[in-house]
Amino acid sequence: MYIDEIKKEMKIPEKVLIFDTTLRDGEQTPGVAITPDEKIRIAKRLDRLGVDVIEVGFPAASQGERKAAQQIKSLGLNTQVCGLARVLQEDLDAALDSDVDYIHTFIGTSPLHRKYKLKMDQDEILQKSVQAVEYIKDHGIIAEFSAEDATRTELEFLQKIYSAVEEAGADIINVPDTVGVMLPVSMHKLITDIKKAVKIPISVHCHDDFGLAVANSLSAVEAGAQQVHATINGLGERAGNTSLEEVVMALMINYGIKTNINTELLVGTSELVSRITGVKMPPNKAIVGDNAFAHEAGIHVHGVLQKAETYEPLKPEMVGHTRRIIMGKHTGARAIRSKLDDYGIEMDEDQFCSLYDQVKKLGDKGKMITDADLQALAETVIGRPKEEKVRLEGFTVITGDNVLPTATVKLNIDGQIKTAAKTGVGPVDAAINAIQSLVGETADIELKEYHIEAITGGTNALAEVFVILADNEGNSATGRSTVEDVVMASVEAVLDAINKILIGR
Ligand code: KIV
Ligand code: ZN
């Protein structure tokens, strides 16, 4: 395949380490704040997920950050516990006080940061960086050094500072694309150039301002980076960071590169982080989104049912997801039949045509039909009597704030058209009263039970109405209907039961 040819030309590593910064850069997502207890829950989950390093926070920021870091460290996780620190003494001491086993220290290096933020020249920045790394190493702790805004820093200075911190004992250097301005091709060149100046492993930290964080991280790996910074769900400053689930799966599936990630835990981890942070994933989010393994179009569903690989680049179980076949306007008969088989629902051809028709009509109105919807629709179709003594010809309801709810119902009863208008406590009650008044001339029928349910929630959900009716001769029948309109579902369910009683007499 094309990709295999390309891979032969790349110098890709066998394994890439994952540095998770959900609890640090991820927490910098606008509007997100994670309590120390929540940090502990997420850290335990990240450890099970298999990340190599967890950046638990910025210890110098607050007492809470330090406490959370200490508590996470005391859990005895398999992963390295890292704290972020500027190259300042007080930050480094705060990180050391948090008992972390890894310090990620950083300083801005670009002309913009030097002039406007730090008001320092290159020499001063280099000297402080070297001192910080030496201080960390004097305490026997792993040191990762980041040149913040590296991707807008002069290459010569970048090579000089990375080489200086390597000499000072840094274990790994990180290349942050702080404002996400890189392209995959420029990232490749930058990492290649930095590699000429240092021998220690190179890490990359990409932001997603142009939606290129994952692509840029992969490009860095192609050029020889051995570690990627990432966050669950791509959380992070502004548009976020490299999404851990996306980059890990791309590394494994597209490049054949190993990581230590237990990929089946990805969806569960994404859901946990989403619940805790309140940041919902869009349904079309790669790997973990609700639609990542959902198929609607008829042709696709047909293909997937024959052989999943036709329209799935990876198995949903691999990432802890499940395949969903969604019914909608593109759904073909084959997919519906296969679903019915799964539920063990049998129906004759006429019933199937009626069900298929309803699915298409709902689809045309833009409705997605879930598994539960389809089962309710199928049950309604199967339960419907074959002949109709009473058929609905038309119906209107009037309801509102200062109006007495009124329903006008037009029925065809044994070939005769009859109309009645009745009031009720609400539109459903009014409609049922109108039906009863019309059918009353043929049979004295009483409503015994009425249940309504919105199948999948939401205001546009299908309403499933279930009724039990009885006549004065002791005959009773159940009626059911599943449509979007609550009043219509009630009318149809009542007529369904009436027909069953009249036919059975
Ligand atoms: O984006 C960035 O530059 C950072 C640094 C702290 C590494 O998050
Ligand atoms: Zn960042």
Side-chain angles (χ1 to χ4, degrees):
M1 270 196 307
Y2 185 64
I3 187 154
D4 296 322
E5 286 305 307
I6 297 286
K7 268 194 300 196
K8 279 187 212 149
E9 293 157 25
M10 295 176 188
K11 302 185 267 349
I12 49 175
E14 216 178 285
K15 189 166 197 169
V16 165
L17 300 179
I18 301 297
F19 179 113
D20 181 279
T21 181
T22 308
L23 298 178
R24 199 278 296 170
D25 215 322
E27 204 199 6
Q28 289 170 226
T29 305
V32 167
I34 312 175
T35 66
D37 281 351
E38 290 167 340
K39 281 201 171 193
I40 291 170
R41 283 176 59 204
I42 295 177
K44 283 184 181 164
R45 179 73 193 195
L46 291 172
D47 187 49
R48 276 182 61 208
L49 183 66
V51 303
D52 300 282
V53 185
I54 303 180
E55 189 169 47
V56 294
F58 184 28
S62 71
Q63 183 63 39
E65 282 284 275
R66 282 194 287 284
K67 213 171 127 213
Q70 278 159 355
Q71 285 175 334
I72 293 170
K73 174 65 191 155
S74 73
L75 296 172
L77 305 176
N78 292 316
T79 174
Q80 309 269 17
V81 178
C82 167
L84 179 73
R86 289 168 294 183
V87 295
L88 305 177
Q89 186 73 38
E90 62 264 35
D91 279 25
L92 297 166
D93 285 337
L96 291 169
D97 284 350
S98 311
D99 297 335
V100 293
D101 30 33
Y102 191 126
I103 295 180
H104 171 204
T105 189
F106 75 101
I107 185 165
T109 50
S110 65
L112 274 169
H113 281 238
R114 294 196 309 258
K115 182 168 177 195
Y116 296 102
K117 196 177 89 175
L118 302 167
K119 300 185 182 9
M120 285 185 205
D121 63 18
Q122 291 187 356
D123 286 346
E124 210 178 337
I125 287 171
L126 189 140
Q127 194 196 341
K128 284 194 184 306
S129 303
V130 166
Q131 279 167 357
V133 169
E134 282 171 352
Y135 190 64
I136 298 168
K137 292 314 293 177
D138 284 349
H139 288 81
I141 290 191
I142 299 173
E144 174 164 332
F145 172 80
S146 275
E148 190 188 15
D149 208 13
T151 55
R152 293 190 296 180
T153 301
E154 306 89 333
L155 177 63
E156 208 183 314
F157 178 44
L158 211 49
Q159 287 175 321
K160 194 168 163 195
I161 195 165
Y162 280 139
S163 156
V165 294
E166 172 176 42
E167 213 165 295
D171 297 280
I172 178 164
I173 51 150
N174 182 48
V175 182
D177 185 19
T178 303
V179 288
V181 290
M182 290 303 257
L183 295 173
V185 67
S186 49
M187 183 57 100
H188 194 282
K189 170 94 171 76
L190 179 63
I191 300 295
T192 307
D193 286 340
I194 292 171
K195 254 181 108 66
K196 289 177 191 154
V198 294
K199 290 191 183 53
I200 50 176
I202 298 178
S203 169
V204 67
H205 175 108
C206 296
H207 278 271
D208 209 27
D209 298 71
F210 292 93
L212 290 170
V214 171
N216 287 335
S217 303
L218 294 172
S219 187
V221 170
E222 281 179 24
Q226 283 138 286
Q227 178 178 274
V228 170
H229 280 207
T231 58
I232 299 294
N233 297 340
L235 295 179
E237 281 278 6
R238 305 180 310 281
N241 288 72
T242 299
S243 148
L244 185 147
E245 48 284 356
E246 291 175 21
V247 81
V248 164
M249 293 319 292
L251 284 169
M252 289 176 67
I253 304 285
N254 297 340
Y255 291 83
I257 296 175
K258 293 195 194 88
T259 69
N260 288 322
I261 300 296
N262 297 311
T263 58
E264 327 77 67
L265 299 183
L266 282 171
V267 169
T269 309
S270 156
E271 285 169 354
L272 175 76
V273 169
S274 177
R275 275 199 306 279
I276 289 181
T277 57
V279 181
K280 302 256 173 300
M281 284 303 95
N284 61 336
K285 169 85 167 62
I287 312 293
V288 295
D290 275 357
N291 291 350
F293 298 92
H295 307 274
E296 190 208 320
I299 299 164
H300 282 210
V301 170
H302 177 47
V304 165
L305 293 174
Q306 302 300 312
K307 182 115 179 111
E309 287 88 330
T310 50
Y311 289 104
E312 282 177 0
L314 55 115
K315 287 191 175 32
E317 311 85 67
M318 246 187 121
V319 296
H321 219 315
T322 43
R323 177 176 308 124
R324 283 190 310 135
I325 306 288
I326 305 285
M327 309 286 148
K329 70 172 170 191
H330 300 113
T331 306
R334 253 196 218 93
I336 299 179
R337 279 190 211 280
S338 144
K339 280 271 169 195
L340 295 177
D341 277 353
D342 290 351
Y343 315 141
I345 296 176
E346 287 174 18
M347 54 174 61
D348 63 29
E349 208 40 44
D350 284 349
Q351 289 169 332
F352 182 78
C353 288
S354 159
L355 176 68
Y356 183 71
D357 229 43
Q358 280 188 60
V359 170
K360 288 284 172 182
K361 278 191 188 134
L362 288 165
D364 278 340
K365 288 187 201 163
K367 173 112 184 94
M368 287 290 160
I369 297 135
T370 64
D371 283 12
D373 288 334
L374 189 72
Q375 284 180 51
L377 287 169
E379 292 302 341
T380 303
V381 166
I382 290 170
R384 205 174 282 154
K386 297 263 181 248
E387 57 176 296
E388 280 180 329
K389 285 198 172 287
V390 181
R391 205 174 57 236
L392 184 68
E393 293 288 339
F395 129 86
T396 51
V397 279
I398 301 167
T399 189
D401 225 4
N402 292 317
V403 204
L404 196 57
T406 309
T408 306
V409 176
K410 192 189 213 185
L411 295 181
N412 179 329
I413 305 177
D414 270 336
Q416 268 191 299
I417 303 291
K418 296 183 176 182
T419 307
K422 288 282 169 198
T423 57
V425 292
V428 171
D429 190 42
I432 293 176
N433 289 342
I435 295 172
Q436 271 175 323
S437 79
L438 289 172
V439 178
E441 296 164 17
T442 316
D444 189 4
I445 288 174
E446 206 187 326
L447 180 67
K448 294 286 184 196
E449 271 185 45
Y450 175 90
H451 300 283
I452 182 161
E453 227 171 286
I455 304 174
T456 36
T459 48
N460 68 346
L462 286 184
E464 185 178 29
V465 172
F466 175 83
V467 294
I468 300 180
L469 264 62
D471 68 5
N472 53 357
E473 294 172 17
N475 303 305
S476 71
T478 59
R480 183 196 295 271
S481 175
T482 312
V483 284
E484 305 130 291
D485 184 312
V486 175
V487 189
M488 189 52 139
S490 308
V491 167
E492 284 189 4
V494 167
L495 291 178
D496 183 33
I498 289 175
N499 273 308
K500 284 178 190 161
I501 291 178
L502 294 181
I503 291 160
R505 275 175 153 197

